[in-house]
Amino acid sequence: MNRRQAILKFFQFVAASPLLKADRKYSDLGDPLLKQANVFDFAKLAKAKLDPVAWDYLDEGSDDEVSLHANRTHFDDIVIRPHFLINDVSTIDTSVTLFGKKLTQPIYLSITGGKNCFIPNGEQETALAAGTSNSMMITGGGIDNVLSADKGPKVWWQFTTAAEFRSRLLSNLRHRRYLSCLSSRAQHA
């Protein structure tokens, strides 16, 4: 029995418990989202729902996929062993301080390209999700309207390349110089 089967059997056991007054077995529940045990189980659902080109983009790594394989191998090596019989779990604090900012949970949404292949306005929707879940987000931009509506993440960083940074900086300086010229002309008129 592998870990996935063990988790599934455990949930079936809990759902069938008379203490929960379950009317049906867990395996009889119709919503496929309830049958997923980990992130990798969602891949099967995504593959069935997504356009094949979008799925290939999501599922594959770059070039020879060496880093993708290494990440997956190391992820499989992680074993979470809760010590709930040893430790007091009546008060659980999942907060973490990251880059000097306190987050309620150790989750942040990383910058990824191609979100619009999967959902319209993908970057904005991700920003809304980060705001709702009080998670940190690293963005490539395009979330200004979400931030101005105060619905986005409270902690966020924007990733830009050197060329983008230089272009935005020069544009900003030109705009400021133009405004300062207008204000000095208005004063002298």
Side-chain angles (χ1 to χ4, degrees):
M1 178 181 290
N2 62 28
R3 185 172 25 189
R4 181 177 309 141
Q5 292 168 336
I7 291 171
L8 183 62
K9 290 291 183 190
F10 173 74
F11 283 128
Q12 288 173 344
F13 170 76
V14 170
S17 169
L19 296 174
L20 295 177
K21 297 180 181 176
D23 294 336
R24 297 180 287 169
K25 290 182 180 179
Y26 179 77
S27 60
D28 294 339
L29 295 176
D31 190 352
L33 291 177
L34 297 174
K35 295 181 181 178
Q36 309 313 307
N38 63 38
V39 167
F40 300 111
D41 290 341
F42 284 97
K44 296 170 195 160
L45 292 176
K47 186 175 183 178
K49 290 229 173 230
L50 289 175
D51 177 79
V53 174
W55 170 252
D56 287 342
Y57 178 81
L58 177 67
D59 189 47
E60 295 176 4
S62 62
D63 293 330
D64 54 8
E65 301 182 4
V66 171
S67 63
L68 179 68
H69 177 69
N71 289 339
R72 179 64 193 264
T73 301
H74 292 303
F75 187 81
D76 287 340
D77 290 341
I78 296 173
V79 177
I80 298 174
R81 293 189 180 111
H83 297 280
F84 50 87
L85 295 177
I86 298 171
N87 300 323
D88 178 22
V89 294
S90 61
T91 56
I92 298 174
D93 181 18
T94 60
S95 66
V96 64
T97 302
L98 187 62
F99 303 124
K101 302 288 185 176
K102 186 167 183 163
L103 304 171
T104 55
Q105 70 271 351
I107 297 171
Y108 78 93
L109 304 174
S110 183
I111 186 168
T112 55
K115 289 185 187 101
N116 293 337
C117 292
F118 312 107
I119 185 169
N121 301 316
E123 193 73 16
Q124 295 174 14
E125 294 295 331
T126 304
L128 288 169
T132 302
S133 64
N134 197 23
S135 299
M136 183 179 81
M137 178 180 179
I138 299 175
T139 180
I143 63 168
D144 297 333
N145 58 347
V146 177
L147 293 172
S148 63
D150 201 31
K151 294 183 178 179
K154 305 299 180 238
V155 180
W156 64 279
W157 281 271
Q158 183 160 342
F159 176 82
T160 56
T161 63
E164 288 175 314
F165 179 74
R166 185 172 42 253
S167 170
R168 288 181 186 181
L169 180 64
L170 290 174
S171 173
N172 192 15
L173 288 175
R174 284 186 195 115
H175 183 68
R176 287 176 188 252
R177 185 178 305 145
Y178 174 73
L179 291 178
S180 66
C181 288
L182 287 180
S183 65
S184 65
R185 284 184 189 158
Q187 292 172 355
H188 294 297

